[in-house]
Amino acid sequence: MTGSDWITSGSMVVTIVATIITIILTLTARRASADAKAAATKVRFAANADRLRSAQEHIRSLPLRGAKPDQLIANIRQEFDITLGALPKEGPGSEARNLLAVAQTSLNKYESALPTGLDREAWQILQIQVQDAISDLTAVATLPGETK
C-alpha cells in the first residue's frame, strides 16, 4: 500500500465515523424534540384544567342569591370556548372535550330555564361534566412518558 492509499483509507474511516456521529446526534435531537413537544402538551393540558377550575367556581356561584347569572354564564362560556379550541378531537384530551360538549348543553339548558326558575338538574350535570373534564385533563397532564 502506498502513501496515497493510506490517506484514502484514513479519509474513508474518518468519513464513516463522522457519518455515524451525525446519525447519532440526529436521533438524539429528534428524541429531545419529541420530549419537548410532549412536555408542552402536558403544560397545555394542565393550563386548560386550571381554566376549567375557574369555570367551575363560576358554576358553583350560579344558584346563589345576588349572583349575576348572565355575567357568570358569559364567563363560563368564554372558559369553555377557549378550552374547547385548545383540545384535540382525537387522542389525549379528547375525552375532556366530549365532556365539555355535554357541559355546554347543560349550560344552555340551565340558561334557558332562568327566566322562570333554576334547573337544578342541568346545574348538577354541568358541575359533574366539568369536574370530570378537569380530572381527565389532570390525569393526561400527569401521565409519565409521551403525550402525543
Side-chain angles (χ1 to χ4, degrees), residues 45 48-50 52-53 56 93 95-96 99 127-143:
F45 285 147
N48 283 307
D50 286 342
L52 289 179
R53 284 186 189 92
Q56 193 175 38
E95 180 62 26
L99 292 165
Q127 284 190 85
I128 291 167
Q129 296 302 320
V130 170
Q131 182 58 54
D132 287 349
I134 291 168
S135 296
D136 182 65
L137 289 174
T138 301
V140 171
T142 57
L143 282 176

Coordinates of all heavy atoms in Angstrom, one line a residue, residues 45 48-50 52-53 56 93 95-96 99 127-143:
F45 N -52.4 20.9 28.7 CA -53.5 20.2 29.4 C -53.7 20.7 30.8 O -54.8 20.9 31.3 CB -53.3 18.7 29.4 CG -53.5 18.1 28.1 CD1 -52.8 17.0 27.7 CD2 -54.5 18.5 27.2 CE1 -53.0 16.3 26.5 CE2 -54.7 17.9 25.9 CZ -53.9 16.8 25.6
N48 N -55.3 24.1 30.7 CA -56.7 24.0 30.5 C -57.5 23.5 31.7 O -58.7 23.9 31.9 CB -57.0 23.2 29.2 CG -56.7 23.9 28.0 OD1 -57.2 25.0 27.7 ND2 -55.9 23.4 27.1
A49 N -56.9 22.6 32.4 CA -57.5 22.1 33.7 C -57.7 23.3 34.6 O -58.8 23.4 35.3 CB -56.7 21.0 34.3
D50 N -56.7 24.2 34.7 CA -56.8 25.4 35.6 C -57.9 26.3 35.1 O -58.7 26.9 35.9 CB -55.5 26.1 35.7 CG -54.5 25.4 36.5 OD1 -54.9 24.5 37.3 OD2 -53.3 25.7 36.4
L52 N -60.6 25.4 33.5 CA -61.9 24.8 33.9 C -62.2 24.9 35.4 O -63.3 25.0 35.8 CB -61.9 23.3 33.4 CG -62.0 23.2 31.9 CD1 -62.0 21.7 31.6 CD2 -63.2 23.9 31.3
R53 N -61.1 25.0 36.2 CA -61.3 25.2 37.6 C -61.9 26.6 37.8 O -62.8 26.8 38.7 CB -60.0 25.0 38.4 CG -59.6 23.6 38.6 CD -58.4 23.4 39.5 NE -57.9 22.1 39.5 CZ -57.0 21.6 38.6 NH1 -56.4 22.4 37.8 NH2 -56.6 20.4 38.6
Q56 N -65.5 26.3 36.9 CA -66.1 25.6 38.0 C -66.6 26.5 39.1 O -67.6 26.4 39.7 CB -65.2 24.5 38.5 CG -65.9 23.5 39.4 CD -65.0 22.3 39.7 OE1 -63.8 22.6 39.9 NE2 -65.5 21.1 39.7
G93 N -56.9 14.0 25.8 CA -57.6 15.3 25.9 C -59.0 15.3 25.2 O -59.8 16.2 25.5
E95 N -61.4 13.2 25.5 CA -62.5 12.8 26.4 C -62.9 14.1 27.2 O -64.1 14.3 27.3 CB -62.0 11.7 27.4 CG -63.1 11.3 28.4 CD -64.3 10.7 27.8 OE1 -64.2 10.1 26.7 OE2 -65.4 10.8 28.4
A96 N -62.0 14.9 27.6 CA -62.4 16.2 28.2 C -63.2 17.0 27.3 O -64.1 17.7 27.7 CB -61.1 16.9 28.7
L99 N -66.7 15.7 27.2 CA -67.4 16.1 28.4 C -67.8 17.6 28.4 O -68.9 17.9 28.9 CB -66.5 15.8 29.6 CG -66.2 14.3 29.9 CD1 -65.0 14.2 30.9 CD2 -67.4 13.7 30.5
Q127 N -71.9 20.7 36.6 CA -70.8 20.6 37.5 C -70.1 19.3 37.4 O -68.8 19.2 37.4 CB -71.3 20.7 39.0 CG -71.7 22.1 39.4 CD -72.0 22.0 40.9 OE1 -71.0 22.1 41.7 NE2 -73.2 21.9 41.3
I128 N -70.8 18.2 37.2 CA -70.2 16.9 37.1 C -69.4 16.8 35.9 O -68.2 16.3 35.9 CB -71.3 15.8 37.1 CG1 -72.0 15.7 38.5 CG2 -70.8 14.4 36.7 CD1 -73.3 14.9 38.5
Q129 N -69.9 17.3 34.7 CA -69.1 17.2 33.5 C -67.9 18.0 33.5 O -66.8 17.5 33.0 CB -70.0 17.6 32.3 CG -71.2 16.7 32.1 CD -70.9 15.3 31.8 OE1 -69.9 15.0 31.1 NE2 -71.7 14.4 32.4
V130 N -67.9 19.2 34.1 CA -66.7 20.0 34.2 C -65.7 19.3 35.1 O -64.5 19.3 34.8 CB -67.1 21.4 34.6 CG1 -65.8 22.2 35.0 CG2 -67.9 22.1 33.5
Q131 N -66.2 18.8 36.2 CA -65.3 18.1 37.2 C -64.6 16.9 36.5 O -63.4 16.7 36.6 CB -66.0 17.7 38.4 CG -65.1 17.0 39.5 CD -63.9 17.9 39.9 OE1 -64.1 19.0 40.3 NE2 -62.7 17.4 39.7
D132 N -65.4 16.2 35.7 CA -64.8 15.0 35.0 C -63.8 15.5 34.0 O -62.8 14.8 33.8 CB -65.9 14.2 34.4 CG -66.7 13.4 35.4 OD1 -66.3 13.3 36.6 OD2 -67.8 12.8 35.0
A133 N -64.1 16.6 33.3 CA -63.1 17.1 32.3 C -61.8 17.5 33.0 O -60.7 17.3 32.5 CB -63.8 18.3 31.5
I134 N -62.0 18.2 34.1 CA -60.8 18.6 34.9 C -60.0 17.3 35.3 O -58.7 17.3 35.1 CB -61.2 19.4 36.1 CG1 -61.7 20.7 35.7 CG2 -60.0 19.5 37.1 CD1 -62.4 21.5 36.9
S135 N -60.7 16.3 35.8 CA -60.0 15.1 36.2 C -59.3 14.4 35.0 O -58.1 14.0 35.1 CB -61.0 14.1 36.8 OG -61.5 14.6 37.9
D136 N -59.9 14.4 33.8 CA -59.3 13.8 32.6 C -58.1 14.6 32.2 O -57.0 14.0 32.0 CB -60.3 13.8 31.5 CG -59.8 13.1 30.2 OD1 -59.5 11.9 30.3 OD2 -59.6 13.8 29.2
L137 N -58.2 15.9 32.2 CA -57.0 16.7 31.8 C -55.9 16.6 32.8 O -54.7 16.5 32.4 CB -57.4 18.2 31.6 CG -58.3 18.5 30.4 CD1 -58.8 19.9 30.4 CD2 -57.6 18.2 29.1
T138 N -56.2 16.5 34.0 CA -55.2 16.4 35.1 C -54.5 15.0 34.9 O -53.2 15.0 35.0 CB -55.8 16.6 36.5 OG1 -56.4 17.9 36.5 CG2 -54.7 16.4 37.5
A139 N -55.3 14.0 34.7 CA -54.7 12.7 34.5 C -53.7 12.6 33.3 O -52.6 12.1 33.4 CB -55.8 11.6 34.4
V140 N -54.2 13.2 32.2 CA -53.4 13.2 31.0 C -52.1 14.0 31.2 O -51.0 13.7 30.8 CB -54.2 13.7 29.8 CG1 -53.3 14.0 28.6 CG2 -55.3 12.8 29.4
A141 N -52.2 15.1 31.9 CA -51.1 16.0 32.1 C -50.0 15.4 33.1 O -48.9 15.8 33.0 CB -51.5 17.4 32.7
T142 N -50.5 14.5 33.9 CA -49.5 13.9 34.9 C -49.1 12.5 34.5 O -48.3 11.8 35.2 CB -50.1 13.8 36.3 OG1 -51.4 13.1 36.2 CG2 -50.4 15.2 36.8
L143 N -49.5 12.0 33.3 CA -49.1 10.6 32.9 C -47.6 10.7 32.6 O -47.1 11.6 31.9 CB -49.8 10.2 31.6 CG -51.3 9.8 31.7 CD1 -51.8 9.5 30.3 CD2 -51.3 8.5 32.5

